[in-house]
Amino acid sequence: MDGLRQRSTASDAQSLLSKPAAPKRPLDPAPKGSIALGVVLLVLGSGLLLHGARHLAGHIIRTDGAGWGFTVLGVITFLPGAYVTGLAAAAWLGLEGYKYSDIPK
């Protein structure tokens, strides 16, 4: 059991503190405008999809066919927003293969 545990000493702690950890990958700046637009599209698309689904389900009583319009607009705005937000989240988490430069500008 003695071989499994190693005690850290003050010199080990000093050597760890004196050397900065090297980043795993070069950090490229996050495109804040593209990420903000992606989040807005995701939220707007989710709202439009929910509104369209409520129209189609009959919770909002109208017979003019607006449910299909809201649903189509929701899909058109939700998909790119989800794509950009997913890429940004994966790059922020540092997942392998994802970087901020993958996000369309």
Side-chain angles (χ1 to χ4, degrees):
M1 284 295 213
D2 291 334
L4 295 179
R5 283 191 192 165
Q6 290 184 345
R7 294 183 182 174
S8 61
T9 62
S11 63
D12 290 338
Q14 281 294 349
S15 66
L16 289 175
L17 291 176
S18 64
K19 297 177 189 174
K24 296 179 186 175
R25 57 182 168 74
L27 298 175
D28 41 334
K32 293 181 178 90
S34 296
I35 293 172
L37 179 62
V39 170
V40 167
L41 287 174
L42 179 69
V43 171
L44 182 64
S46 298
L48 287 170
L49 278 171
L50 180 65
H51 193 66
R54 292 186 70 202
H55 263 285
L56 293 174
H59 290 285
I60 300 174
I61 302 184
R62 292 180 74 175
T63 57
D64 59 0
W68 288 110
F70 283 118
T71 303
V72 168
L73 283 175
V75 168
I76 289 172
T77 56
F78 177 82
L79 289 177
Y83 176 73
V84 170
T85 306
L87 282 178
W92 181 69
L93 290 172
L95 297 179
E96 187 176 339
Y98 294 96
K99 51 191 177 294
Y100 287 123
S101 61
D102 293 338
I103 298 172
K105 295 190 180 3

